[in-house]
Amino acid sequence: MGGPETRLGFLVLPLIVCFSGTPGDAHSLSYNFTIDPQPRPGQLWCNVEGDVDREVFLSYDCGHGKIIFTSPLGEEVKTMKSWETQIETLRDIRDHLCDFTLEKPTVTDPLTLQALMTCHCEDDRNISGSWQFGLNGLMSLHFDSENGHWRVDHPGGRWMKEKWENDRAVTDFLKKVSMGDCGSWLQDFMGCWEKMLKTSGDGASRKPQQVLLLASWNSLSLAAIVLHLFTLEPGDQSE
């Protein structure tokens, strides 16, 4: 068994690896919409959750216009010139989703619609987009914005596919928002990450979520020192 320094080394090593990045990584931006036409008391009828590389940065009550930023990236994003336009587009998406007729035959109670919009920026800076749709928490339909292909992932999505695949207005809107607007937002976000990298002080290449973790680095360093003191042998602590 190694001494306290060895044990501390094994603790700190994963943290160092976590902060090391790889140039040219692909990134993604997603907005998850939930539309409930008849919410229960205390629940939202419209909610949007935004995430970058699966790290949530925003929660948006799109029924009352209340926004909660949940990460340092969110605080940076709201300073962007395009932020107000982005919120307007999210409200526009909400209105389109509400306009979609979701009354499934033989079902009398209104169904809760979930719509997940995602755009990706690949290594070569190519932007791709997609949508996933679900009812009552079960994702059942996928739309590829690049080729316009609809894919049923669960039998419950078949009727939505039949309704929307021949609706040119719907498909054009989904393509425009997921590959045009979302792709532009993602590029703006990458500018925020670069700004955060510059203010981090060391200029190392990192993934966006690793940049956010830097905000907690001082706390982690303090925790490592405390843990080191606890791992000292009794004789060492008395010196």
Side-chain angles (χ1 to χ4, degrees), residues 129-131 142-151 175 179:
S130 65
W131 287 82
H142 179 273
F143 176 71
D144 188 323
S145 301
E146 286 191 280
N147 57 29
H149 177 69
W150 294 88
R151 184 186 72 233
K175 288 181 179 180
M179 295 190 65

Side-chain angles (χ1 to χ4, degrees), residues 40 48 58 141 176 178 201 207 226 234:
R40 295 178 181 178
V48 183
L58 169 145
L141 183 65
K176 172 186 175 296
S178 60
K207 295 180 181 179
V226 173

